[in-house]
């Protein structure tokens, strides 16, 4: 469906033009015209999707994105990417946002669909403060790489709709599989929907709550692996993650590091 967003939009416009001209012939004619359209256009007419525009409608994908998993930073050089998963969470996400703001750093937030739906205020704040959105599926099933394609599609696209709607129509630019459980199919589904598959280079293991000092130490020791750093703002008590992020950002600056976003349209750099 979303792969055909552009065409759906065209057909939807045509369908509504036809609808307007047919309106003179009565409501029956209008309903007949819409029901007679192809499945995509009919769905577009009844159920708003990315191909439909309007104040509360998500924007359609603007660029083609590769299916390859991104790790590199758009800015290249010594830039790093801060990525924060499993939220939004009313307790931890605002604290992460405060720290990012204090340090003038932009990050990528990989969100769980139902949590985004539950906390649209947090999603809107993430967007308003210049961060980017990432789809982290509906239920965080780390075994989804062994599930049917239809299930993967539902996990990805249902969450995408929830995050987009919660944000007020901001484009979700990345897709990160739970636990890194990507498949060729899930990467294709995400890319077709305008979301670049997103990996990581530095796993802080903050999810296991090893202590803030250990999280900071992991960043320092694994940074040579590459620029994309993984933190969490949901899925449990993330107080250690908050403390670690507060220490890590100034340290990165002291190292001469700058901050960027993961590559979206470019091939991943080695
Ligand atoms: Zn996760």
């Amino acid at each position: 469906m979303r792969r055909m967003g552009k065409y759906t939009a065209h057909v939807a416009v045509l369908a509504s033009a036809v609808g307007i001209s047919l309106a003179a012939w009565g409501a029956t004619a209008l309903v007949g015209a819409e029901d007679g359209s192809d499945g995509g256009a009919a769905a577009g007419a009844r159920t708003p999707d990315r191909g439909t525009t309007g104040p509360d409608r998500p924007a359609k994908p603007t660029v083609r994105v590769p299916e390859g998993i991104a790790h590199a930073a758009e800015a290249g050089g010594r830039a790093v990417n801060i990525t924060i998963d499993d939220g939004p969470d009313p307790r931890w996400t605002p604290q992460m946002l405060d720290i990012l703001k204090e340090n003038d750093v932009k990050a990528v937030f990989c969100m769980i669909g139902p949590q985004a739906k539950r906390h649209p205020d947090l999603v809107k704040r993430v967007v308003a403060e210049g961060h980017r959105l990432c789809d982290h599926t509906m239920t965080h099933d780390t075994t989804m790489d062994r599930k049917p394609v239809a299930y993967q599609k539902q996990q990805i696209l249902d969450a995408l709709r929830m995050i987009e709607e919660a944000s007020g129509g901001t484009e979700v630019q990345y897709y990160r599989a739970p636990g890194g459980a990507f498949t060729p199919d899930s990467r294709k589904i995400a890319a077709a929907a305008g979301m670049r598959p997103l990996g990581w280079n530095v796993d802080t293991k903050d999810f296991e709550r090893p202590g803030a000092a250990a999280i900071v130490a992991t960043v320092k020791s694994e940074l040579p692996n590459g620029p994309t750093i993984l933190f969490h703002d949901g899925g449990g008590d993330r107080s250690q993650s908050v403390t670690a992020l507060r220490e890590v950002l100034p340290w990165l600056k002291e190292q001469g590091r700058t901050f960027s976003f993961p590559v979206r349209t470019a091939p991943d750099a080695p």
Side-chain angles (χ1 to χ4, degrees), residues 202 204 214-223 229 231 248 251-252:
V202 179
T204 64
I215 297 168
V216 173
T218 299
V219 174
K220 293 179 179 179
S221 63
E222 292 194 6
L223 197 54
I229 305 172
F231 284 96
V248 159
W251 178 82
L252 286 166

Side-chain angles (χ1 to χ4, degrees), residues 7-157:
Y7 305 104
T8 305
H10 269 295
V11 177
V13 166
L14 284 173
S16 57
V18 170
I20 289 162
S21 65
L22 286 178
W25 296 89
T28 310
L30 174 57
V31 170
E34 297 207 339
D35 284 349
S37 310
D38 71 63
R46 285 193 292 266
T47 311
D49 65 16
R50 270 162 96 103
T52 314
T53 54
D56 298 313
R57 307 286 157 73
K60 62 183 175 182
T62 52
V63 293
R64 290 185 68 83
V65 299
E67 293 167 14
I69 299 173
H71 300 83
E74 278 180 350
R78 288 174 58 73
V80 299
N81 308 312
I82 304 295
T83 65
I84 303 174
D85 289 15
D86 296 3
D89 182 287
R91 178 146 189 210
W92 311 111
T93 307
Q95 296 185 55
M96 296 295 225
L97 285 166
D98 288 346
I99 294 165
L100 291 165
K101 191 189 278 183
E102 285 159 21
N103 289 275
D104 194 24
V105 170
K106 308 304 180 197
V108 176
F109 283 81
C110 297
M111 297 182 175
I112 306 297
Q115 288 169 225
K117 185 173 182 171
R118 206 173 300 135
H119 305 291
D121 52 328
L122 291 177
V123 183
K124 288 185 172 74
R125 183 178 165 195
V126 163
V127 170
E129 296 185 1
H131 309 292
R132 290 188 184 179
L133 298 173
C134 169
D135 178 338
H136 203 37
T137 75
M138 291 295 290
T139 63
H140 205 277
D141 180 353
T142 55
T143 65
M144 68 181 278
D145 55 339
R146 300 198 290 274
K147 302 282 175 65
V149 174
Y151 173 86
Q152 298 179 46
K153 191 170 186 178
Q154 176 260 323
Q155 281 283 323
I156 296 167
L157 297 186

